[in-house]
Amino acid sequence: MTGSDVIVIGFNTMDLVFTGREALRPDHKVYADSLTQHAGGQGSNVAVDLAGLGLAVHYLGMFGDDAWGEQVRASMTDAGISVEGSVTVPDCPNHVAVVAVATTSGTRSIVMCKDPRLTAGADLVPADALRRTRAFYTDGHEFEASVAAAELARSLGVRVFADLEVAREDAARLLAHVDELAAPLEVIRTLAGTDDEAKALAYVRALGPAVVVATKGAEGCAGLDEQGRHFTVAAFPAEVADSTGAGDAFHAGFLAARLRGADVREAAAWGNRAGAVKCGHPGPRVPLAAMARLREEMEGPAA
C-alpha cells in the first residue's frame, strides 16, 4: 500500500440531477428541462476535488456492486485516486441521490437512498494506511468508521479534518479526535444550542477541534483559529449555475491550502474560492481542468 497526502472516508453516490426553472414545492408538480447523471457523494466529491488540487488521495468507502457503483468507483480511479481497501457489497445497489436544481437561483433539493448494508464498519481504515498519510478527512457520515479512524489518526500524529452535515447528539465522540472542523453554521448552532455565532463556535471548539470554521454559503465563512481568535472571510463572487457540491469544494480548497502551509484565514479564503468555482459548473464536482487552474494559483506567488 503506497502512501498518500490525504485519506478520505465518507459517502459516494450516483447523482441523478434534474434541472428546471422552478424549485420543488410541497404538493406541486415541477417539470424538468434536463436530466443528467453524475458520480457524487460528499466524501467522494472531496476526494476528487483534492486530487484536482494536486494531492495524492486515498479514498475508503462502501460501493454497491451494480453498474452505478462501478461508475462511481471509476470516476475516482480515473482521477488518480486509490480506492484500495474500499468495500464492494455483493448484490447491493449503490447509494443514489436525486438532485433537483432550480436554474433561476442555483439552489437544489436532494433525496437520497442508501441501503443499510453500505454502512462502513469501525475497521474500514487500517492503521497501516494512516501511518502512510499526512492527513485524514471524514465527511462525518460513516460515523463509527470516522470515530475509530480519527482516534487512531490522532494517536499516530496525523492531522484530522472533518465536516458535519448533521448535528448528531453524539457528535462529541468524533469531535474529541478532530483537529480542524469546517461545518455549516446551522449545524454548529444546533450542536451548541444557541443562535449566537460566537458562542456556538466557542462551544464546538471546546469539544476538541483547535480550529472551527462555520460555512455560510453566500455570506462566506467565519471561525476560530488555533489561538481561539475569531475571523471572518467574505464569499468569493460567483455566478451560480448549481450549488451542489460547493461545500465539498470548500473542504478541498481549505484542506489543500492547510497542507501547503496556509494559515486558517488564508485557507478559508481558498475554500471560498473553490466553492465559488464549483457553483459556476453543473454537477457535484469541480471539473478537473478548473481545479487545476485553481491549483496553479494556490501554488503561485499569490498563495
Side-chain angles (χ1 to χ4, degrees), residues 26 62 71 142 157 211 248:
M62 308 293 290
Q71 290 176 45
E142 295 291 3
V211 170
D248 304 328

Side-chain angles (χ1 to χ4, degrees), residues 77-224:
T77 57
D78 288 349
I81 296 167
S82 170
V83 296
E84 181 181 357
S86 291
V87 177
T88 298
V89 181
D91 300 317
C92 181
N94 204 71
H95 188 173
V96 179
V98 176
V99 185
V101 179
T103 55
T104 52
S105 63
T107 58
R108 81 281 192 268
S109 301
I110 302 175
V111 177
M112 294 190 291
C113 183
K114 178 175 181 260
D115 191 295
R117 291 173 292 171
L118 293 172
T119 301
D123 59 350
L124 178 66
V125 184
D128 184 57
L130 288 169
R131 291 190 184 98
R132 296 169 181 266
T133 194
R134 299 169 59 199
F136 168 71
Y137 172 84
T138 171
D139 65 8
H141 283 296
E142 295 291 3
F143 194 74
E144 296 303 326
S146 295
V147 171
E151 182 176 9
L152 181 56
R154 284 284 290 271
S155 73
L156 295 172
V158 175
R159 294 169 70 180
V160 178
F161 296 80
D163 182 13
L164 274 179
E165 192 178 52
V166 178
R168 298 175 56 111
E169 292 184 359
D170 57 352
R173 292 178 53 215
L174 174 61
L175 296 179
H177 309 296
V178 171
D179 294 300
E180 307 198 11
L181 173 75
L185 175 60
E186 63 186 61
V187 172
I188 290 174
R189 282 174 168 165
T190 302
L191 285 173
T194 177
D195 287 334
D196 186 296
E197 180 179 304
K199 290 181 179 178
L201 288 167
Y203 176 90
V204 171
R205 186 172 186 268
L207 296 177
V211 170
V212 180
V213 181
T215 56
K216 302 191 288 184
E219 296 179 24
C221 62
L224 300 174

Side-chain angles (χ1 to χ4, degrees), residues 1 22 54 77 80 110 156 160 234 246 254 257 259 264 303:
M1 185 178 292
E22 293 184 76
T77 57
I110 302 175
L156 295 172
V160 178
F254 178 82
L259 290 188
V264 173

